[in-house]
Amino acid sequence: MARPSASSTRPGEPSLADWLLLLLLVGLGGSSFALIRAAIDTIPPVAVSVGRLWIAAAMLFIIMRMKNRKWPPLMAGNKPHRLWAWMAAIGAGGYAAPFLIFPWAQQFVPSGLAGVYMAFMPLWTLGLAYFFADERLTPQKIAGFALGFAGVGILVGPEALNGFAHKGHAPSSLLAEAMLLLATLFYAASAVMARRAPAARPRAFSAGIVLMGAVFATPALLIAGDLNISEWSAKSIAAVIALGVGPTGLAGVVIIVLIRRVGASFMALANYLTPIWAIIVGVIAFGERLAPSAFIALAVIFAGVAISQRRGRKVVEAGDALIEELRPQIRRDQTES
C-alpha cells in the first residue's frame, strides 16, 4: 500500500474538543494520586496496584477487540514472539514496578507530593536516551538535567519534607520520596525501550503492555500476607476501580485519540499540568498543604525540562497511561493504514 502523503499524516491544529480532551487527560492523571490515597485507606497497597492493572488490562482488551485488533501468537517457532518480549519488558518496567511503588510510598507521602515527582520523569528519559538510544547529550541538555536535580534537592530538603500540613497523615518519608524518584526512573526506562520496540497496532500494543504489567505485578500478592478483604471499604474498592478505568485505562484511549488528531507534542502538555492538578486535588480532597519550597522545586524542575528540550527533540514523558509507549507505534500505524 502506498505511503500516505505528509499532509495526510500531519496532525491538525487543536480544536476546542482537543483542548477538552487534554483537560480530561490532565484530570485523569492528576487525580490518580488522590485515588491511590483513598484506595490504600483500607486496601493493602499491593492489592491496589494489581487490581487497577487487571481492570485496565480487561478494559483495553475489550477496546482492542472492538477495533478488530489482535495480538500476535505468543511463540514464534521455539522462541517467544519478538513483540511479546518487548511488551513484557515495557509492562514490567513501565507498569508493574512503578505501580507497586506509588501506593506503597503514598502510605508515607501525601498525594500532592507524589504528583510533583512525576515532573522529573522527562529528565530521566533524557539521560537514559543518551546511554541506550544513541541520543546526543548536549551542554544544554546537561544543564537542564542538573537544574532538574537541583529541583529534586529542594523538594527533599528539610522544609519540603515537613512542608505538608494535613490532618491524620504521617510526615513525609525520605525513603518513600527516594522510591518515588525510582518509580519515575522506571517510567523513563520504559519510554526509552518503547522507542526501539517493533511496529505494532497501538491498541494491541497498549493492551499488551498493560496485560504484561498485571502479570508481573500479580506475584507480589503472594508476599503481601493477609489481604484482610473483609475490611476493605466500599470507598477504597471504588477508588481501585476508578484507578483502573480512568488513569490506567481511559487515559490510554484519550492519548491515542489526541496523538492521532493533533500530535504527541500537544498531548505531552498534559504532563506539565498533571503535577499541578495533583496538588490541587490533594488540597481539595484531603486538606493537604504544600510548602513554598515545594512549589519552588517544581518550578526549578520544569525549568530544567524546558532548557533540556529547547530547540531539540522533545522528550515526551510517559506517565500513568501510555504516553511515550504509544507515540512510535501510532506513527508506524499511520504509515501502514
Side-chain angles (χ1 to χ4, degrees), residues 27 41 55 61 81 97-98 150-151 158 168 190 217 227 234 247 266 268 271 323:
D41 187 43
I55 291 170
F61 175 77
H81 192 283
S190 71
L227 298 178
F266 176 80
N271 297 279
I323 295 177

Side-chain angles (χ1 to χ4, degrees), residues 44-54 96 98-104 217 240:
V46 65
V48 172
S49 305
V50 174
R52 71 181 288 196
L53 280 167
W54 279 111
F99 277 31
L100 288 168
I101 290 173
F102 268 92
W104 174 85
V240 173

Side-chain angles (χ1 to χ4, degrees), residues 22-321:
L22 182 74
L23 291 178
L24 174 60
L25 186 59
V26 171
L28 292 171
S31 300
S32 64
F33 308 100
L35 287 171
I36 289 173
R37 177 169 172 180
I40 63 175
D41 187 43
T42 61
I43 299 178
V46 65
V48 172
S49 305
V50 174
R52 71 181 288 196
L53 280 167
W54 279 111
I55 291 170
M59 177 180 173
L60 291 171
F61 175 77
I62 292 171
I63 293 172
M64 177 187 76
R65 295 301 298 133
M66 288 175 62
K67 291 294 183 177
N68 294 318
R69 301 292 189 251
K70 295 181 180 179
W71 287 318
L74 188 60
M75 301 296 293
N78 59 353
K79 298 188 299 184
H81 192 283
R82 185 165 175 254
L83 183 60
W84 276 110
W86 279 94
M87 291 192 298
I90 296 169
Y95 285 82
F99 277 31
L100 288 168
I101 290 173
F102 268 92
W104 174 85
Q106 284 190 228
Q107 296 176 104
F108 315 103
V109 172
S111 62
L113 187 58
V116 169
Y117 270 91
M118 286 303 300
F120 195 76
M121 190 273 169
L123 294 173
W124 278 133
T125 307
L126 180 71
L128 290 172
Y130 169 73
F131 288 104
F132 301 106
D134 301 323
E135 291 195 11
R136 193 164 62 94
L137 197 59
T138 64
Q140 176 179 298
K141 292 180 179 180
I142 294 173
F145 195 82
L147 190 58
F149 258 110
V152 173
I154 296 171
L155 191 63
V156 300
E159 291 183 17
L161 288 174
N162 298 303
F164 279 88
H166 51 281
K167 188 174 180 180
H169 201 280
S172 300
S173 160
L174 183 59
L175 176 60
E177 293 195 60
M179 292 301 292
L180 288 173
L181 198 59
L182 178 62
T184 63
L185 176 59
F186 277 117
Y187 279 137
S190 71
V192 174
M193 284 190 290
R195 294 181 183 181
R196 294 176 173 268
R201 296 291 188 178
R203 291 177 181 85
F205 187 72
S206 60
I209 61 175
V210 175
L211 174 65
M212 289 292 95
V215 168
F216 282 107
T218 299
L221 291 172
L222 301 177
I223 60 175
D226 189 358
L227 298 178
N228 299 317
I229 297 178
S230 61
E231 299 179 6
W232 295 5
S233 69
K235 177 182 175 182
S236 293
I237 294 173
V240 173
I241 295 172
L243 278 166
V245 172
T248 321
L250 179 59
V253 178
V254 174
I255 288 167
I256 291 174
V257 173
L258 278 175
I259 293 179
R260 285 186 178 278
R261 287 168 60 95
V262 287
S265 296
F266 176 80
M267 181 275 303
L269 293 174
N271 297 279
Y272 300 99
L273 300 174
T274 293
I276 299 171
W277 181 242
I279 294 169
I280 294 172
V281 173
V283 170
I284 295 173
F286 304 110
E288 298 172 354
R289 293 295 182 269
L290 194 62
S293 58
F295 282 104
I296 295 172
L298 183 60
V300 171
I301 293 172
F302 279 160
V305 173
I307 290 173
S308 68
Q309 297 186 9
R310 188 168 178 265
R311 292 186 179 179
R313 178 180 177 182
K314 288 185 176 295
V315 178
V316 182
E317 306 93 318
D320 212 25

Side-chain angles (χ1 to χ4, degrees), residues 1-10 330-337:
M1 184 176 293
R3 184 183 180 89
S5 65
S7 60
S8 67
T9 60
R10 184 183 297 119
I330 290 174
R331 185 182 298 118
R332 292 164 185 158
D333 184 44
Q334 288 175 327
T335 63
E336 293 171 4
S337 57

